[in-house]
Amino acid sequence: MKVYELLLAIVVVLCLITILYSRGQEYIQSIDFGVLAAFLSAFLNMLNVIFLRKNSPHIIIFYEMLGSVEFITLYLLMQVEIDAIVNIGTKDFFWVLLLGTVLTAY
């Protein structure tokens, strides 16, 4: 681990503590999700380094995307009514399509 990475991690932890004590419990769920997302991102990055030694980047991305689709599908089936997923408007479909293709790929 490099020195600047350690210093940045300490700054982030201090900022989280400051937010928690200054705002109370108002943003606790948001902070929890942020910390979880950062942890999962770092974990995925470590796995990518290991997998890149043995596999092509295209194969790794394929499996990451496939796993993401499976996870999100299972989550939506458990949390949201099917009508809410199927009955989206044209404008919403356009934005989802734009985010999923152009903004994700490029």
Side-chain angles (χ1 to χ4, degrees):
M1 178 178 260
K2 298 176 182 152
V3 175
Y4 72 89
E5 291 175 343
L6 183 62
L7 291 175
L8 286 175
I10 291 171
V11 168
V12 168
V13 170
L14 290 175
C15 289
L16 284 173
I17 291 170
T18 303
I19 291 171
L20 281 175
Y21 283 114
S22 67
R23 295 289 188 173
Q25 300 297 320
E26 187 177 351
Y27 298 109
I28 193 74
Q29 187 177 17
S30 301
I31 292 170
D32 288 344
F33 282 132
V35 169
L36 178 64
F39 172 76
L40 291 175
S41 174
F43 182 72
L44 185 61
N45 190 18
M46 291 184 335
L47 286 178
N48 281 341
V49 169
I50 294 169
F51 291 148
L52 277 173
R53 294 178 187 153
K54 299 178 183 178
N55 299 310
S56 164
H58 300 297
I59 300 295
I60 295 170
I61 291 172
F62 171 75
Y63 284 115
E64 285 177 357
M65 296 299 283
L66 185 65
S68 299
V69 167
E70 289 174 355
F71 176 77
I72 291 171
T73 300
L74 289 174
Y75 176 78
L76 287 176
L77 288 175
M78 291 187 294
Q79 297 294 326
V80 180
E81 295 180 16
I82 298 297
D83 293 339
I85 298 171
V86 176
N87 295 329
I88 60 171
T90 308
K91 185 177 179 181
D92 292 332
F93 182 76
F94 167 75
W95 288 114
V96 169
L97 187 64
L98 179 72
L99 286 170
T101 56
V102 176
L103 299 177
T104 301
Y106 302 104

